[in-house]
Amino acid sequence: YIVDKRLLLREIVSEAMKSGAEVLMNAYAVDFLKDGNKFSGVVVSHKGEYIKIRSKIVISCDGAAGVSRMLISSRNTRTLEPAYQYTMANVLLNDRNSIHIFFGRKYAPLGYLWIFPKDDNVANVGLGARGVNLRDYLNKFISENPDLFRDSSIVKINAGVIDLSGQIDDPVMDGLMICGEAAGHVVPITGEGIGPSAVAGKIAGEVAVEALESNDFSKGFLEKYVRRFHSHKYSKMINVGLKARLLFEKLDDKDLN
């Protein structure tokens, strides 16, 4: 099945608000606040202003290119793969109950190209690759497959980066837990991150409650989050996926075929 991330996030926000959370839309974290060595909040950009939000604990889920990256020295050697995607109408697929994946340097060097069916002949068509112009590769694929796309039109364009480097070494500090793609919670061989990130976020939330109840926000206490996630199947999938990705990238198209 395909997860509609936009609707998923809307539902998560709705449930959080029902539980009493305050939501600040169109706000972007640009820096952290610290009291000594302890993280004590964030600075956000919101409608042209910078707002300081203080808290006893910070859970940072700001993605592969967020403010968390300044805390991680190993980021300089991490593998960030660009991704580019069209949402297209009138894609003529015979099988709309399966995802369609294309491997090889012809389609997406050091990555893959995908067609993910949605509703009413709509599909997400995109690729993740390195060292090439992604839009050119995607347009070439579409033009070479008129049986699929002869009547299609682009209704939306998305682009971003995916961290395929595996888990960061240390996602906790005094007063701070890093989650999701910012912490490398992405399966490197597939780029799938919603599942691992959701699990990590849930665990971090539970540990945050325990920290508040114990009034202990030290790195030592927050290490519970790391240990619990490492015991989950998703942590193992990420570790194995990293080894598989490194092997996959050594294969040429002949080997893949």
Side-chain angles (χ1 to χ4, degrees):
Y1 58 89
I2 304 297
V3 173
D4 188 321
K5 186 176 179 181
R6 181 176 58 87
L7 294 179
L8 174 64
L9 294 177
R10 182 187 298 172
E11 183 66 19
I12 291 173
V13 169
S14 176
E15 290 299 312
M17 293 176 68
K18 290 177 184 177
S19 298
E22 295 183 27
V23 177
L24 189 62
M25 302 297 293
N26 298 314
Y28 303 91
V30 296
D31 202 356
F32 291 102
L33 298 174
K34 296 182 73 174
D35 292 330
N37 292 324
K38 179 185 178 298
F39 288 82
S40 58
V42 293
V43 179
V44 300
S45 174
H46 179 62
K47 296 182 178 179
E49 298 183 16
Y50 291 104
I51 304 171
K52 293 182 179 180
I53 302 174
R54 295 197 171 273
S55 61
K56 293 183 178 180
I57 191 166
V58 177
I59 302 177
S60 183
C61 313
D62 54 343
V67 68
S68 297
R69 68 181 302 172
M70 70 177 66
L71 305 174
I72 306 164
S73 59
S74 60
R75 277 284 177 186
N76 295 327
T77 58
R78 295 182 70 79
T79 301
L80 300 179
E81 179 152 296
Y84 191 79
Q85 176 180 272
Y86 296 148
T87 299
M88 303 187 71
N90 297 320
V91 179
L92 304 176
L93 293 170
N94 291 326
D95 181 3
R96 302 195 61 81
N97 295 314
S98 301
I99 63 174
H100 305 260
I101 303 293
F102 300 83
F103 294 103
R105 283 161 174 75
K106 172 184 175 181
Y107 300 109
L110 301 177
Y112 66 88
L113 185 148
W114 62 80
I115 304 176
F116 295 161
K118 300 179 75 174
D119 297 327
D120 301 324
N121 288 334
V122 175
N124 289 334
V125 185
L127 76 162
R130 276 171 273 154
V132 297
N133 185 306
L134 272 63
R135 184 176 64 178
D136 288 349
Y137 266 67
L138 186 55
N139 289 341
K140 182 173 183 288
F141 173 79
I142 291 170
S143 67
E144 291 178 348
N145 290 275
D147 289 347
L148 296 175
F149 302 109
R150 63 175 178 270
D151 297 322
S152 300
S153 58
I154 299 169
V155 297
K156 187 178 180 181
I157 300 174
N158 288 318
V161 294
I162 307 169
D163 191 329
L164 301 180
S165 313
Q167 300 177 70
I168 64 176
D169 294 332
D170 200 354
V172 297
M173 303 175 196
D174 291 343
L176 173 70
M177 292 182 282
I178 303 174
C179 292
E181 194 169 0
H185 294 151
V186 174
V187 181
I189 190 63
T190 64
E192 195 272 316
I194 293 178
S197 297
V199 168
K202 183 175 184 294
I203 294 172
E206 293 168 349
V207 172
V209 171
E210 295 171 17
L212 287 165
E213 291 173 345
S214 302
N215 198 35
D216 187 346
F217 311 103
S218 66
K219 176 180 178 179
F221 189 94
L222 300 182
E223 287 283 356
K224 291 182 178 182
Y225 153 63
V226 181
R227 292 192 295 271
R228 291 178 192 175
F229 185 75
H230 283 177
S231 68
H232 194 277
K233 67 176 182 180
Y234 271 130
S235 180
K236 299 176 178 63
M237 288 175 63
I238 293 170
N239 295 339
V240 172
L242 177 59
K243 295 177 182 178
R245 193 211 95 205
L246 295 174
L247 175 61
F248 167 81
E249 291 179 356
K250 295 179 181 179
L251 303 177
D252 58 25
D253 287 3
K254 181 179 179 181
D255 294 325
L256 287 172
N257 290 333

